[in-house]
Amino acid sequence: MRTPHIRRLAIALAVTTAATITAGGVGTAFATSASTGTASVASVKAAKSVVDAARAAAFAHASATGVSKDDTLTATDTLIDPDGKQHVRFVRAHKGLPVLGGDLVVHLDAKSTYLDVTRASRHEVTVAAKAPKLTAEQAKAKAASRAKGDAGAAELVVDARAGRTTLAYQIKVSNSRTTEAGGVRTVVIDATTGAVLTDIPAADTFISPSLRAKLRQSGQKATPRTGATASGAAAAASGARPFNPPRAAGIPSVGSGASIFVGQVPLNTLKTGTSSYLLKDATRGNTETRDAGGRELEKFSLGKAFTSTSNNWGNGAVSNRQSAAVDAQYGIVSTLDFYKKVLNRNGVKNDGAGAHAMVHFGSNVGNAFWYSECGCMLYGDGDGQDFTQPLVVLDVTGHELTHGVVDATANLQPTRVDEQGNQFGEPGSLNESLADIFGSNVEFQTNNPANPPNYLIGEKLGLAQQFLRRLDRPSLDKLERTVDYWSPASYDAEVHGGSGVSSHAYYLLAEGSGKKTIGKVDYDSPTYDGSTVTGIGRDKATQIFYRALTRYMVSSTDFHGARTATLKAASDLYGANSAEYKTVDKAWAAVNVTVANTPKR
C-alpha cells in the first residue's frame, strides 16, 4: 500500500488559554502542563467534569444544539479560558453511526452553565433505518473505481454535510492513482443510490493539480531561490529554545546545519555516542526528520534516521542528502516555536508531541504534503519539470503544518473534489487561507535574515510573478486567479483561488488598507466598499484568528461563519465595544462579507 507521505502582547497571551485539555474518544480527558507536557490527576478530573457538563448542556438545549436522544457525543478537544469560560468540541454518532458534518462546539461559562453552540450542521440529523440498499462490497468496488486504488473496509455513516441526511458508506482507498505519489483517499458512497458523495485525499498538498497544469501550459519552470549563508550571530539569534523536556535516549546538543534556502542555522540534536549525533530535537517533543530514500513510505518508522559524527549537517547543496533535511527540520521547529510562543499551542495537536518529516520522498515528486494519519511532513525532491528542487521552504512548512492544526481543531473540509484532485468550496478555501496566514506568521516570528518575513507566500519558489499568493491584494496572483472579495461564486471556488477572501480580511485587520512598505516589500491593499481600514497590528489580528479557529469554527464554516467567529473572538479578547472588534467588522465588510449578504442556510 502506498500513502501520500503526503508582544506578542501580554494581554493577548493572558487571555488566550490557561489550560488546554484534550478529551479522548471515550471521554477520558488529559490536561497538559505547558512546562512539562504531563497530565495531573486533578486536571484530568476537571476535564472530565467540563466534558460531562458540556455534553449534558448539549442535550438539555437540543433545540439550539441540534442533538437528539439517538445521538452520542464524543469530546475531541476542551479549552478553558483564564476567566473560566469553557469550550468543548464534539463529534457525533447517530444511532451508533458516525455523522459526517455533525461536529459542534458547546460553550459554557465559568460555572459550566450553557452559553451558546457552534454547529456544523444546521438541520435535523436522522435516518429512518440502518439497512442500506447497496452492499458493502458494491460500495468498495465503486470507491476503488472512482479513486483508482485498493479499497479498505466500508463503514456505514450518516452524511449530514451540504444539507444532506444520507445513509452512506465511508471507504479509505489506498494506492490511489488519482493522487500524486500514490496515496489514500476517503470516498463516501450513497448507500441507497450508489452515488459518490465526496472523494477527498488524506493529504494536504502545497501545489494543487490546477496550479501544476497552469505552470505547464505557460511553460514556466520554478527555479527556487536559495538563501545566503546566515552569519553565526544571526543563526544564534534565531536559535534553538526549549519546547518540552528531553524524553529520548541521548544527550541534548546544539549543532549547526547548512540549509538550501536559509543558510546556516542552529539545530537541536541528540548526542548518542562519543562522536555520534541524531537529527532529533528532544526539546521540541522529539521532532525528527528522516530520509525516505526515494521511496513512498507509509510509515515514519521506515525512514532512515539522519546521523552525523560532527554535529554539522548538510553543505547547502541539493546533492547532499542532509541539506534538505536541515531546511525541513528548521522549518518544523520554527513553526512549532511560533505556535508555542505566540499562541501558547504545544504542538500540532496541542499534546506536547513534536512533528515528523521525511525528505527525498518518492521519485520525481514536485510537491510537499502534510499527511495527518502519519503526523508527517513529506517533501519530494522536485519533478524536474515544474520544480527542480525540494519544496523545503520555510513558509511552505508553516503552511502545511497549519493544515495539521486545522485538522486537529475545526477540521475544515472542502465541499467537493473533482477527479483531478482539485478541491472546491468555502470551508476548504478558509482552510487554505488560515494555512497562508499562519505560515506567513511563522516567517515573522522566525525573522531569519536569509528569509525575510513578509505577507507573500512562496516567494522563494522562483515563480515568474515572484510569489505564489499574497495576503494584501490576493488578485495579483494570476496563476491561481486568487480573488480579493467575496461573491456568490465563492461557494464553489477552487480553494486556493477562493482563499483570498479571508486572507485579505486578515491583512486588512492586521495592517490596514492602502499603500505601505513593511520590511522591504511594498503593499497596496484595496477595499470592496472604498473604505479606509486602520489595522490593529499583526499580533492582535493573529490572536483573534487563532481563537476563532480553535473555539468558534467547525468543519463547515464558510466566510460569513468566519466573520462571526472572529467577531466573537475579538469580543472575548478585547470587548464588544472595542476598537479591535469594530475593526474586525470593517475588515470583513472591506472584502464584501457582511450581515446583509449572508446566505440563507
Side-chain angles (χ1 to χ4, degrees), residues 62-84:
S63 60
T65 62
V67 302
S68 74
K69 60 181 178 60
D70 292 321
D71 291 342
T72 303
L73 299 180
T74 301
T76 60
D77 197 18
T78 301
L79 299 174
I80 302 176
D81 298 334
D83 63 0

Side-chain angles (χ1 to χ4, degrees), residues 300-317:
F300 179 73
S301 60
L302 298 176
K304 182 180 178 181
F306 281 103
T307 59
S308 169
T309 58
S310 65
N311 212 10
N312 293 313
W313 307 83
N315 63 6

Side-chain angles (χ1 to χ4, degrees), residues 215 220 222-223 225 387 458 461-468 479:
L215 287 172
Q220 281 197 62
T223 52
R225 297 192 299 273
F387 293 92
L461 295 180
L463 297 168
Q465 67 183 20
Q466 299 184 356
F467 53 85
L468 178 56
L479 284 170

Side-chain angles (χ1 to χ4, degrees), residues 471-475 483-487 500-514 524-535 545 559-560 563 566-567 581-597:
L471 278 62
D472 66 314
R473 191 170 190 164
S475 62
V483 299
D484 291 333
Y485 311 118
W486 181 85
S487 74
V501 176
S502 45
S503 293
H504 192 192
Y506 168 84
Y507 176 86
L508 289 166
L509 178 63
E511 302 292 351
S513 58
D524 187 2
S525 192
T527 59
Y528 179 85
D529 54 3
S531 64
T532 298
V533 179
T534 301
F545 267 69
F559 291 130
H560 286 80
R563 172 186 175 274
T566 50
L567 284 170
Y581 181 94
K582 294 173 183 177
T583 306
V584 169
D585 193 33
K586 288 189 69 175
W588 283 108
V591 298
N592 197 34
V593 176
T594 67
V595 172
N597 62 20

